[in-house]
Amino acid sequence: MHREEVNDETAVPAGDVAAGFQALIDSDGRVEPRDAMPEAYRKSLIRQIAQHAHSEIIGMQPEANWISRAPSLRRKAILMAKVQDEAGHGLYLYAAAETLGADRADLLDMLHNGRQKYSSIFNYPTLTWADMGAIGWLVDGAAIVNQVPLCRCSYGPYARAMTRICKEESFHQRQGFEILNTLSHGTKAQHAMAQDAVNRWWWPSLMMFGPPDDASPNSAQSMAWGIKRFSNDDLRQRFIDMTVPQSEALGLTLPDPELAWNDERGHYDHGDIDFTELFEVILGNGPCNKQRMEKRRGAHEEGAWVREAASAYAAKRRTRQTAAGSAA
Ligand code: BYC
């Protein structure tokens, strides 16, 4: 659906738009595509949903890297299913952005020319099989903590897409935990491999939640609009609190000597997070940014014939349906 179509249906005075929208937000209602909404709300949602969609499809790369090297047929089948799920998540999210009048081809152009971001986490290399476990356990675990509140996001199509995505993420997290649990209780070398993967993925996983609250330009407005329900730091803390006991169950150590339960706060204290690393990765200077973008642009170019064929098929169907309609 294109933006003009939405606006044609909802051409109401600006003051009425603001009042109607605010009443909906105040009553914790859902904003639907045909509802009038402030332009800034629409733009901010497209920004976040597009970045999220891009993250899902770029997120396929580090794991796809291990499909051909999975240690058994069972592991291979599970990993393939997971990587396909990520593609599906990308599709639900691009479709949600389209309900706001965004054009999918434009969004992909903006990803390819660096005008829109994707998650920092996918710019780190996957060096061993244990990284498949660490990604599932930590990265998908962080994704769940961040995304479950988005199921209550004020924009209906995004909230509904998130409900389905979260169900799948929970399977992903369990499969990662199971990989690490097997390695951790395997041979000495397997345990060491699992520990090394956790050492490398822990801090980048904490950075997935975004900059600290006092350096997060979008949070306040986004929370006032009911897009985000919790701040970056609150969700990060929730993830740490959930993950420490899981690491104990796994028999693996999180690489932060300052992690300690604080009775007074009712949370784990933790060491300082190096946010300069996050900002560098976002700027394009992470270990794999260049490689990920090259691969993505290449995949897009190689897929041009599929998009052309699908468009030609859709046009043919429309012509046939119109012809059948006029004959009836
Ligand atoms: N990496 O004001 P802030 C997944 C940007 S998919 C890169 O706090 P906001 C998964 C941010 O966009 C993972 N950029 O922003 C997939 C903003 O820049 P712009 C992705 C980041 O939006 C496959 C600027 O920094 N998840 O989990 O209020 C397999 C200032 O930040 C990052 C989502 O997209 C980052 N880590 O909060 C497995 C979830 N952090 O846009 C797993 C939905 C911040 O102003 N998104 N930036 O140019 C969100 O929840 C929020 O957008 C964020 C950021 C918490 C990510």
Side-chain angles (χ1 to χ4, degrees):
M1 192 193 304
H2 288 279
R3 193 183 153 192
E4 285 73 19
E5 292 171 38
V6 178
N7 282 351
D8 281 352
E9 305 249 346
T10 57
V12 281
D16 292 357
V17 170
F21 172 80
Q22 199 52 51
L24 204 55
I25 297 294
D26 292 345
S27 64
D28 202 19
R30 291 287 165 274
V31 179
E32 294 298 336
R34 281 167 191 273
D35 292 333
M37 61 186 91
E39 184 57 12
Y41 174 81
R42 194 184 70 82
K43 277 197 174 143
S44 192
L45 270 170
I46 293 178
R47 174 190 67 79
Q48 175 167 328
I49 299 173
Q51 169 181 293
H52 194 166
H54 300 330
S55 304
E56 298 285 353
I57 61 166
I58 299 262
M60 295 167 74
Q61 291 186 35
E63 291 181 291
N65 188 30
W66 278 91
I67 291 176
S68 61
R69 291 177 285 165
S72 69
L73 185 58
R74 174 175 168 266
R75 294 289 188 201
K76 191 196 276 272
I78 295 171
L79 188 58
M80 279 170 66
K82 180 178 192 282
V83 173
Q84 281 176 351
D85 282 352
E86 310 303 359
H89 297 174
L91 290 181
Y92 311 152
L93 290 164
Y94 285 121
E98 283 174 322
T99 67
L100 290 155
D103 184 283
R104 190 180 304 206
D106 291 345
L107 299 181
L108 284 167
D109 281 349
M110 285 193 269
L111 168 65
H112 298 150
N113 62 29
R115 281 169 55 215
Q116 276 182 347
K117 302 179 171 78
Y118 61 92
S119 181
S120 52
I121 194 72
F122 301 116
N123 293 305
Y124 292 85
T126 44
L127 303 179
T128 69
W129 170 251
D131 288 28
M132 297 304 97
I135 290 184
W137 177 46
L138 294 174
V139 175
D140 289 273
I144 292 171
V145 172
N146 167 262
Q147 293 173 19
V148 165
L150 291 173
C151 300
R152 293 194 293 114
C153 162
S154 58
Y155 187 59
Y158 190 28
R160 289 190 286 276
M162 291 317 305
T163 304
R164 188 157 169 188
I165 290 175
C166 284
K167 284 190 182 146
E168 293 176 356
E169 295 295 9
S170 133
F171 147 71
H172 296 171
Q173 202 241 2
R174 289 184 68 107
Q175 68 87 38
F177 185 92
E178 202 252 339
I179 290 175
L180 285 184
N181 201 32
T182 306
L183 291 174
S184 175
H185 297 99
T187 64
K188 238 176 156 181
Q190 286 172 327
H191 180 90
M193 193 198 278
Q195 184 60 57
D196 172 64
V198 169
N199 292 349
R200 285 181 288 106
W201 288 93
W202 173 244
W203 294 104
S205 299
L206 298 184
M207 293 172 202
M208 284 176 71
F209 293 90
D213 292 350
D214 57 9
S216 164
N218 299 300
S219 277
Q221 182 60 76
S222 190
M223 287 172 72
W225 277 329
I227 297 175
K228 277 165 86 160
R229 297 285 175 172
F230 299 97
S231 77
N232 297 356
D233 286 333
D234 284 351
L235 291 175
R236 193 170 3 251
Q237 182 72 60
R238 190 177 289 191
F239 172 68
I240 294 171
D241 292 347
M242 176 187 102
T243 309
V244 174
Q246 292 179 3
S247 71
E248 287 159 7
L250 280 172
L252 296 168
T253 310
L254 295 171
D256 178 357
E258 290 177 52
L259 273 176
W261 179 253
N262 182 327
D263 241 345
E264 216 168 286
R265 290 201 315 123
H267 292 293
Y268 281 92
D269 289 337
H270 59 85
D272 286 343
I273 301 167
D274 177 9
F275 283 108
T276 51
E277 177 177 323
L278 171 67
F279 297 128
E280 277 302 308
V281 177
I282 294 178
L283 279 175
N285 303 325
C288 298
N289 294 59
K290 201 164 165 278
Q291 166 187 341
R292 299 286 185 248
M293 286 309 295
E294 270 171 19
K295 182 107 184 162
R296 172 90 278 284
R297 289 192 198 101
H300 191 69
E301 277 161 29
E302 279 168 30
W305 70 271
V306 179
R307 292 189 297 280
E308 278 161 26
S311 303
Y313 178 69
K316 211 162 156 184
R317 270 186 68 146
R318 267 196 306 274
T319 314
R320 280 206 196 120
Q321 276 163 355
T322 316
S326 15

